[in-house]
Amino acid sequence: MVLPLLTPRRSWALVLLYGLSGLAALAYQVLWARMLSLQFGVSIFGVVVTVAAFMAGLGAGSLTGAALSRRIKAPLVWYAALEGGVALFALFSPYLFRLLDALLDGLAAGASLHVWYLAQGAATLLLLLIPATALGMTFPLMLRALAASRLGVAELYGVNTLGAVLGALLPLALLPALGWMSAMQSVAGLGIAMALTAAVLALFSWGKIKRDIDHAASRPARRNLIAYGVVGAAALMLEVAWTRIFGMTLLRTEYVMALILAVFLLGIGTGSLAVRILRRGTGFPALFPTLFTALPLAASGFAVLSLWFAPLVSAWAERGAFHSLLHALTLQGLALAALTLPVTLMLGAWLPLLCRRIGGDDSGSGPALYGANSMGGALGALAAGLVLMPQWGAPATVCIAALLLLLCGAVWMTPSVKHVAAWSAGGLLIAFAAWPVRDLPPVARLLPQTQAYSTDVFRHEDALAITHVVERPSGQRVLLTDLQRMDASTDQAAVATQQNQARLPLLLHPAPRTVLFLGLGTGISVSGSLPFPQLERTAVELSQGVIEAAPLFAPLNQGVLGNMHVVRDDARRFLRATNQSYDVIIGDLFHPDLIGHSALLTTQQFARARARLNENGLFVQWLALNQFDAESLDSVLRGFNQVFPGAVIFMDGFRLALAGARSAPPGAVAMLANLQRMSGAAQAEATGGEGAATWLGRYWGKINAGAGPVQDEWAPRIEYRLPRARYGGEMDLARLLEKLLRARPSLDAAAKELQVAASERAAFERAYGATELAVRGWLAALRGDADGARLLRLAYETNPHDRWIGFALADAMYGTLPQARAGGRSERDALRAILAIRPDHAETLRRLWHLERSAGDSAAAARYRARLAEASPLDKEVRMTQ
């Protein structure tokens, strides 16, 4: 016998309390995954390890709790103790993670990347299994507390999962406002409050059981546990694969994981609660056998259908006009829901329906099935992230998960001719539908605007990322990481930008002998270092796909891979693990708002780079201005200056170079001493034909970002700030240029800071003035001011050696060719005037090639074609005429 039934109000109060438990549990999970992305250097491992630890712990805890709860008279007391214990663990987890990080630092020095990941994963799994197991035990305990009510698995599981939806989204508000440590402590405070609430309710005998109830007869058979465990594995395989697929095509930021997780959980929670409504219907018993045939068919079919619609969603997101981050999150969240909710609704309904199907009561069969499902989920997460996606890709992983759901459905299908026929026909239809979408579509189909008519040249997928190389109709190639992130291009201006990333840092050192590139990319950046004599080059690149793709850019990277050492490793781990020190370290980073990337702009990362510099060493961090708002840029500048007091800025095009020295600041003396080691031809090549004065003229003074927050690994800012700024229209390049112009030192102050000699003063003045005129010209153009062209012409006349000024003026002149022809000037003369400014201007060379060929002057045409081939070696038209 048990105590009298709990009143409905008290019963729902306990269920809602358990809903708050789901909120706290998922907030813990997201925050721990965020922390692990710092340790692993890439978020996918943090996500997979955290999810695997949580699911394994929830499963083990539920199975253990199911056995213990039969002998417990006051389950709420135990529930309160477990919730409180998890909250205390969370409260101290920041310090535990820091201790773990320090303990594994020693391993980093002597272990390979894979061994290090294995050790990190094992240590983290063991650490997170403790709180996850405790959380898993709370499910059977709360079911036991509700034994004297009419509520059961459907309500408890559903409300807890809906609470988890809010828990998945909560860190998105807490992290940017409070930082990682304070956010975790805030959620831990909620956990302690829940534990105290449960303890108080236990004092009033809520949920107290008068005597033991034997549920041995309701324990599921092993076959049911195994089959439902496979359902859990398939569900987590879908979650991980969907995170990869939609994380590439939608927001692509720290918000993606939380959004997908929230939508996934929303479907599961709603599906579970929907069973409660169905059970009230008088026709439910007759409908029940059909439900168990339709359930796996529907879940499997909709999973495959999500792949068919993925390209449409990607194309929609690419052209979508979102007014704010909230607007983007809402619309893209609805798109995700449309694709994934049909599947997750079925997964949520599966547990309460299965409890009824096998004939057990909720408190007896529910915890065991939940435990088996969670344990299977842990294996599914690991299999998807570490085996299936690297081996066959994310779409194939979705297809495999759909097949597993289909096969599991056969275990509980009613063995009637009608149901077997329906299952067989549906299964064949799903298999035929899955075959065409088992692979990722071409990039041109996923991104029909930015990559229209491109063709895929190379693709590599592993647990870290998907790497593409696509060739545009012009023949130029683009390196894409995770689809939308353009790492590098072979367009003429992009090649110069990449090579300059090596030129400036190496020029600023008096005699560089060793250089470390934090990132390989296409290898074009590294090729800018080739003119420097006796230089030992090392590049650290985490993506195997990028390393394998680099030879495809050999015509432009000049086969530099044969003259360097490439290490596959995470840049942060490498800097911590290596004992090697370098004269120059170069950090390059695009898209800092992407998951894990902002950690490369933290004070901790800058300090790691400083620790690996030789006595006269120099670290240069490049930043793309168009990817920052003023507030985010200032936080990075402050952090850099905190580690490198007296650090200075150079500006190359629309990119900033933050230069920090171990000892003496960079200047004219070091640059000229460096160049004097070389022949005249080597000097020209080392400076890109622009001369030392042009590079010194790009000086922008010492960093002075004022007081304020910095980007910190334990208190991240920019990865949450930048998406809001981008969608809110705050990423204003014109505003940043205005701010930089106001902060630029006077000519005399700059010459003094750089220690420009009197003999070099005149050339420096011209270059310094030309750079400012050019930036003011670009600023005028951004504002639509016609004065921009005049300023560019003045800038060119002041310093004709500046590549950016020359190209900008050449582009402007090429764009006004129709006006020149209308004014009576011959097209040949107008084109030759452009070549007088930039002899390597590709479009001008192409046009003159065509003109001379049409005029029948084959010799002149051949000369222009040869010059075009040199300026743009991957040009498709040039290659076709070889």
Side-chain angles (χ1 to χ4, degrees), residues 96-107:
L96 289 173
F97 276 111
R98 283 190 169 183
L99 177 61
L100 175 64
D101 201 39
L103 290 174
L104 291 173
D105 257 355
L107 176 64

Side-chain angles (χ1 to χ4, degrees), residues 12 39 53 64 108 111 173 209 219 273 321 391 406 417 702 736 775 833:
W12 278 108
Q39 288 188 296
T64 304
I209 306 301
R219 294 172 194 166
L273 290 173
Q391 195 71 31
L406 194 64
V417 174
K702 295 181 179 179
L736 281 181
V775 173

Side-chain angles (χ1 to χ4, degrees), residues 495-736:
V495 170
T497 298
Q498 294 167 71
Q499 290 176 333
N500 285 356
Q501 290 171 193
R503 286 176 178 139
L504 174 63
L506 291 169
L507 284 169
L508 291 174
H509 191 282
R513 291 290 182 267
T514 55
V515 59
L516 173 65
F517 293 87
L518 301 180
L520 173 65
T522 59
I524 296 174
S525 296
V526 185
S527 71
S529 70
L530 288 174
F532 292 84
Q534 299 176 344
L535 187 63
E536 181 182 321
R537 303 168 188 84
T538 303
V540 179
E541 176 57 60
L542 183 58
S543 171
Q544 182 64 34
V546 168
I547 295 172
E548 294 181 10
L552 296 171
F553 297 86
L556 290 160
N557 65 33
Q558 303 173 54
V560 73
L561 270 68
N563 295 309
M564 64 182 301
H565 177 49
V566 179
V567 180
R568 190 188 177 203
D569 206 342
D570 170 61
R572 287 173 299 155
R573 190 194 92 94
F574 180 83
L575 290 175
R576 290 194 302 181
T578 186
N579 293 320
Q580 180 72 39
S581 56
Y582 300 88
D583 291 326
V584 176
I585 299 178
I586 302 171
D588 178 32
L589 180 66
F590 283 106
H591 309 283
D593 58 333
L594 292 181
I595 297 175
H597 287 207
S598 66
L600 296 174
L601 298 178
T602 61
T603 55
Q604 290 87 347
Q605 174 66 358
F606 296 151
R608 294 182 194 113
R610 181 186 175 90
R612 299 273 70 84
L613 289 175
N614 288 325
E615 182 60 31
N616 294 320
L618 180 75
F619 174 55
V620 173
Q621 176 65 59
W622 287 95
L623 303 175
L625 279 175
N626 64 330
Q627 295 175 1
F628 284 89
D629 69 309
E631 182 180 324
S632 301
L633 180 62
D634 281 346
S635 68
V636 176
L637 294 177
R638 290 188 203 102
F640 194 88
N641 199 48
Q642 191 178 100
V643 177
F644 293 96
V648 299
I649 300 175
F650 286 80
M651 187 172 173
D652 182 52
F654 293 125
R655 304 196 70 199
L656 292 187
L658 314 185
R662 184 73 182 266
S663 53
V669 175
M671 183 178 292
L672 293 175
N674 191 351
L675 289 172
Q676 285 169 4
R677 302 178 305 138
M678 309 179 199
S679 66
Q683 288 184 29
E685 195 175 352
T687 63
E690 298 182 280
T694 297
W695 281 104
L696 292 171
R698 289 167 178 158
Y699 179 69
W700 223 265
K702 295 181 179 179
I703 292 177
N704 183 18
V710 300
Q711 174 70 1
D712 188 278
E713 286 183 352
W714 299 89
R717 298 182 58 82
I718 64 175
E719 57 265 62
Y720 298 100
R721 168 70 189 166
L722 286 175
R724 294 200 304 272
R726 183 172 69 249
Y727 286 108
E730 298 176 52
M731 298 180 76
D732 189 337
L733 182 58
R735 190 183 306 172
L736 281 181

